[in-house]
Every structure is written in structure tokens, then in C-alpha cells.
Amino acid sequence: MPEIVAGEQGAVEVASHPDAATLVSGIVGCAGLKPTVAAIKAGKNIALANKETLIAGGPFVLPLAHKHNVKILPADSEHSAIFQCIQGFPEGALRRIILTASGGAFRDLPVEKLKEVKAADALKHPIWTLGKKVTVDSATLFNKGLEVIEAHYLYGLDYDHIEILLHRESIIHSMVETQDSSVLAQLGLPDMRIPILYTLSWPDRVPCSEVTWPRLDLAKYGSLQFKEPDTKKYPSMDLCYAAGRAGGSMTGVISAANEKAVELFIEEKISYLDLFKVVELTCEKHQSELVASPSLEEIIHFDLWARDYAAGLSSSLATI
């Protein structure tokens, strides 16, 4: 007889099912953390498309994966690019990670105009077709700031050696620099099927038909552009680097606060610039309660706390 299990427990049961060898972890937010932990404990390799597993859970998840001899393979485009570039690297060869970012919907908008933008404007991504939350994160560059934290946990580099670079065409998905100053990049069309396929087929390469999988034609682009991001336009970068350096429970708090702030912005309960303020004030409030090595229960507790605190800020921002 089939067994029907719903909700969080259903996700945990599916994640740890004995017939599965790999779990694709793609549930948004900390909701994906418990199923991913269950899969790790069951010895499943993790194809990671859920940022929070490492951003919030890194201090707990990484030792657990090591204990159970489980591989965490990135399915996100930028981290897949880095992973592909470092294949064959000897230990200690990686010197710097360069995460590329499209710049999102407001990359060509002057800073002084940002106070006027609405959620509908932020959801017009110039390159990628994404969900609402990720599209807004691309506009604010929180997606890239959070990826910096994720890169720290995935690849072990300190924050001084992880950088963000604007790249309009989204053809180079990220780069790495080796100890001898060589720079390697992974190029491809802006298509999430590529990193997902590689994660699930690694270490093999699956042949794909050009009929359904168009070949990258660099001549069509002519040139590729790069630019240093403006911290005034993207204050998310400084916030994420600060949270990453604080470590412990702070990285989960900034992720949860941002998720709630994006929700409030999409619902037009706060302005675009208030989105950054909500995240900043939530992180400031958490400093006195920061836990350096949080347990799974503490990670989930602070995730819920950050969402509640961020939600409460929305009604008081006008007086701040």
C-alpha cells in the first residue's frame, strides 16, 4: 500500500528515501534545510540549488556532510561555473573567486532614481527568466552578496578573496584565479539546464543535441563587458560581506530578513530602498544574540525570528 505523507515530514521522507542516490535541494528558504539534513544523514549526495542550506546552515551542514561522506555539488549557475573551473585543481591552487552578476533590472538606472522604482520594475530582468524573489534579488544584488557567503562555505576561501563583477551579457557565469595568476572562466548561454545537468551527471559530461540545446555563438556577441559594481546602488554587497565575516547565525539572519523584505516589497508594503533598511536593521538587532556555532534548532529559530522582526519593521520605517 502506498504511504502518503504531507508537509515538512513528507519532504523529509522523500529526501531520505532509500531508492534515491542524490537529492536535488531546491526548496526556497530554510524550509529546504530539514529535508536536506535528512538526506545527508541518509548518505545521499546533494545537488544544491537552495542557497539557505549553506548560507544559514553552513556551520552545521558542512561538518554533517563530512561525517557522512556526502558530496555537496552546486546546481546554481555561478557556483556550478566555479565547480567546473576547479576540476583537477590540486589542493591550495585556488586563489580568488570572481562571481559575475548581470546587474539586474536597475543596472542602467541612476542611483537617485531608485527611490521611485516599484516591484513591477524590479521584476523586469534584462537577461534571465526567473521567479519573483530571485528576480528582485538580482535587482538589489542580494543574490550575489548571498552567493559570496555560499562560496565561502563551498570552497573555503576567506571573504577577501571572493569578488563580485558586473557582466551584462551573462555569458561568463563565474571565474577563478589560480595561485600563478591564471584566470579560468566557464561560459555558456543563460540557461539553468546546463548547471543542473552537470551537477546530476558529474563527473561525466552528457552529450546533448544541438537541436534542443543551442551552441554558444560568441561571434554573435562580439564583445563581453565587465564593470565593478557600485556599492551606493547595491548596498546589499556591504551588508552581505559584513554578515559573512560575522559568521555563525548572522548569515542565516540576513538571508531570512532579505526574503521577508522582498516579500514586503513585492506586496508594496515597503519601498525599494526600505528593503535594504529592513535587512540592515534586522542584522543590527541580531548582533547581541549571535551564536558562533549554531545548532540546527538555533538556525531555524533565528530564521523565524528574523522574518518576524523584519515584518514588524515595515510598519515603523516611516519613523526611523
Side-chain angles (χ1 to χ4, degrees):
M1 293 291 291
E3 182 181 0
I4 299 174
V5 187
E8 181 182 90
Q9 187 56 36
V12 168
E13 291 290 335
V14 169
S16 56
H17 196 281
D19 290 346
T22 300
L23 170 76
V24 179
S25 178
I27 301 174
V28 174
C30 260
L33 191 53
K34 282 188 177 180
T36 304
V37 167
I40 292 171
K41 289 180 176 179
K44 317 294 184 187
N45 288 332
I46 307 299
L48 191 62
N50 165 287
K51 287 182 170 61
E52 288 75 17
T53 294
L54 290 184
I55 294 168
F60 175 82
V61 168
L62 289 178
L64 187 70
H66 180 74
K67 176 183 175 181
H68 291 275
N69 196 29
V70 162
K71 293 181 175 63
I72 298 178
L73 307 174
D76 207 4
S77 61
E78 293 82 2
H79 290 305
S80 174
I82 296 163
F83 183 63
Q84 292 182 59
C85 286
I86 66 173
Q87 294 303 297
F89 274 28
E91 186 175 351
L94 179 62
R95 180 160 73 184
R96 183 167 60 116
I97 288 172
I98 305 163
L99 291 163
T100 55
S102 68
F106 305 135
R107 63 189 186 184
D108 297 321
L109 196 69
V111 174
E112 56 272 16
K113 294 285 188 181
L114 291 177
K115 60 185 178 183
E116 304 169 9
V117 302
K118 303 296 183 184
D121 304 314
L123 293 171
K124 297 174 183 175
H125 198 288
I127 300 288
W128 293 88
T129 300
L130 305 162
K132 287 185 178 181
K133 198 270 182 180
V134 181
T135 306
V136 173
D137 279 351
S138 295
T140 62
L141 222 66
F142 261 113
N143 68 327
K144 215 54 50 177
L146 294 173
E147 282 172 12
V148 166
I149 297 171
E150 195 177 8
H152 165 74
Y153 285 124
L154 273 171
Y155 304 110
L157 288 191
D158 63 45
Y159 289 97
D160 291 338
H161 294 90
I162 306 171
E163 300 176 9
I164 297 171
L165 185 65
L166 294 184
H167 169 47
R168 295 180 66 88
E169 295 81 10
S170 294
I171 293 300
I172 293 178
H173 297 296
S174 277
M175 296 176 271
V176 299
E177 181 183 68
T178 63
Q179 294 292 354
D180 61 5
S181 299
S182 293
V183 176
L184 284 71
Q186 187 266 333
L187 286 70
L189 294 170
D191 187 331
M192 280 303 299
R193 294 179 302 168
I194 299 171
I196 292 170
L197 175 67
Y198 183 69
T199 299
L200 294 176
S201 63
W202 180 86
D204 298 322
R205 293 280 184 174
V206 175
C208 298
S209 167
E210 289 185 32
V211 176
T212 56
W213 212 289
R215 177 178 291 181
L216 173 62
D217 182 3
L218 286 173
K220 169 186 170 184
Y221 292 89
S223 63
L224 301 177
Q225 303 176 65
F226 305 96
K227 184 180 179 182
E228 186 176 350
D230 181 357
T231 55
K232 290 183 178 179
K233 177 178 279 192
Y234 302 112
S236 53
M237 292 192 301
D238 288 342
L239 293 173
C240 287
Y241 273 99
R245 290 186 170 104
S249 55
M250 186 63 81
T251 54
V253 164
I254 193 171
S255 177
N258 172 64
E259 189 173 335
K260 188 62 183 181
V262 170
E263 179 186 318
L264 294 168
F265 172 60
I266 290 173
E267 293 172 353
E268 299 185 345
K269 293 179 179 178
I270 61 172
S271 72
Y272 180 77
L273 295 180
D274 280 345
L275 189 160
F276 301 100
K277 183 59 69 175
V278 165
V279 175
E280 180 181 9
L281 291 172
T282 304
C283 290
E284 285 181 0
K285 182 69 175 177
H286 181 61
Q287 285 176 356
S288 61
E289 296 185 344
L290 189 149
V291 178
S293 299
S295 64
L296 179 60
E297 291 73 22
E298 287 171 322
I299 290 166
I300 294 171
H301 164 74
F302 285 120
D303 175 87
L304 296 172
W305 171 86
R307 293 169 194 274
D308 288 343
Y309 190 81
L313 285 171
S314 64
S315 59
S316 58
L317 280 172
T319 61
I320 295 176

